Amino acid sequence: MKGFYWNSRGLSDLAKYRYISDAIRDHKLDFVAVMETGKQDMSRSNLNRLSGDADFIWHCLPPRGRSGGILLGINSTVLDLSIIVEGEFFIKFHLRNRNDDFKWILMAVYGPAQDEFKSAFLSELVRTCQQNPLPTLIGGDFNIMRHSKEKNKNNFNPRWPFLFNAVIDSFDLREIDLTGRQYTFANSLPDPTYEKLDRVLMTTEWEFKYPMVTVRALDRGISDHTPLLLETGD
């Protein structure tokens, strides 16, 4: 199985559609999660442009306010979709693998950048994890670091990392190690800040099914966030 996570910083131009479409084709992706789409809705023609020849089912979560928005899609020839759940900061798919009948949950999250909304984001993450009855994979742009080493500068606020790690520990989640790059975000200032904001988490049951899973950083492309490629190695 292969999946793709990317904060696109707005699906506002044809180049970004082409980048996603090329990723689906080149990596033979089974699912795609795009964060910060900035789209209230997406037309069928635009979604078809994304998936190309692949038979994808898409669901769009519109942004709240000036930024945000999530697009989650699956290859319906590989995965069977039974339930869609929306939150303020996530989309959740209940899935079944067509080849082996394995049932699991795929979540795409986009955490708020503003501190005043991070408490609500973490609270929602706790509630939805409590309601997950199946092995679960959670990925996206959490907009929270876990450790000071995930930033190249010293102005590190430990408050949100402490709470984020407490959530991760309480649900026995494990982060899939990232290869290819240390950080996933870089701003465009002359003295840039580098941070790791994008990641993929999994439950122990999901890891038991896919013990060889990896997450690799792809070329940064046309966004200041790094695209992440998940591969289960099966």
Side-chain angles (χ1 to χ4, degrees):
M1 181 179 300
K2 294 184 179 182
F4 174 86
Y5 296 91
W6 185 39
N7 182 330
S8 66
R9 296 300 292 268
L11 288 178
S12 56
D13 58 71
L14 184 60
K16 292 183 178 180
Y17 284 94
R18 185 177 296 116
Y19 185 80
I20 297 169
S21 178
D22 289 348
I24 291 174
R25 183 196 64 230
D26 295 345
H27 298 289
K28 297 179 173 60
L29 298 177
D30 300 308
F31 68 85
V32 171
V34 183
M35 282 60 66
E36 201 171 355
T37 62
K39 294 288 188 180
Q40 289 293 331
D41 197 7
M42 296 190 66
S43 69
R44 176 55 53 186
S45 61
N46 281 342
L47 293 175
N48 289 340
R49 185 184 302 151
L50 281 181
S51 49
D53 295 330
D55 189 8
F56 262 64
I57 297 173
W58 297 97
H59 187 77
C60 182
L61 180 71
R64 271 62 169 176
R66 293 177 298 173
S67 63
I70 302 172
L71 180 67
L72 183 59
I74 59 161
N75 188 329
S76 62
T77 64
V78 176
L79 299 167
D80 179 53
L81 172 61
S82 59
I83 300 174
I84 299 173
V85 181
E86 282 188 7
E88 186 174 358
F89 304 105
F90 72 86
I91 300 175
K92 180 194 299 186
F93 282 0
H94 287 236
L95 301 171
R96 178 184 66 86
N97 293 356
R98 292 186 181 274
N99 66 334
D100 61 9
D101 206 39
F102 177 65
K103 297 178 177 65
W104 57 289
I105 288 172
L106 173 65
M107 284 181 57
V109 305
Y110 178 60
Q114 304 88 350
D115 278 0
E116 58 265 32
F117 300 121
K118 290 187 186 295
S119 179
F121 165 64
L122 291 174
S123 296
E124 184 178 70
L125 185 60
V126 167
R127 289 193 302 272
T128 194
C129 285
Q130 289 172 336
Q131 297 165 1
N132 286 352
L134 298 170
T136 303
L137 186 71
I138 309 171
D141 179 4
F142 291 81
N143 260 312
I144 302 177
M145 290 170 283
R146 296 189 62 189
H147 311 287
S148 59
K149 65 182 181 181
E150 294 186 342
K151 188 173 185 177
N152 71 325
K153 295 186 177 179
N154 294 326
N155 55 335
F156 176 80
N157 182 351
R159 178 190 177 192
W160 300 115
F162 174 80
L163 294 173
F164 186 34
N165 283 316
V167 173
I168 291 172
D169 292 342
S170 65
F171 291 100
D172 200 21
L173 300 173
R174 191 174 81 79
E175 181 171 350
I176 305 171
D177 292 336
L178 175 65
T179 61
R181 187 166 289 142
Q182 181 178 359
Y183 307 107
T184 66
F185 168 80
N187 62 27
S188 56
L189 297 176
D191 180 21
T193 296
Y194 297 97
E195 298 174 331
K196 184 179 181 183
L197 303 176
D198 311 80
R199 64 189 79 242
V200 185
L201 309 171
M202 60 184 172
T203 62
T204 53
E205 296 85 0
W206 203 91
E207 184 179 13
F208 184 78
K209 171 67 176 176
Y210 297 111
M212 303 301 292
V213 63
T214 61
V215 171
R216 175 165 55 94
L218 298 177
D219 291 338
R220 191 173 300 279
I222 45 180
S223 170
D224 48 18
H225 280 263
T226 300
L228 306 182
L229 177 67
L230 178 142
E231 299 176 287
T232 59
D234 55 342

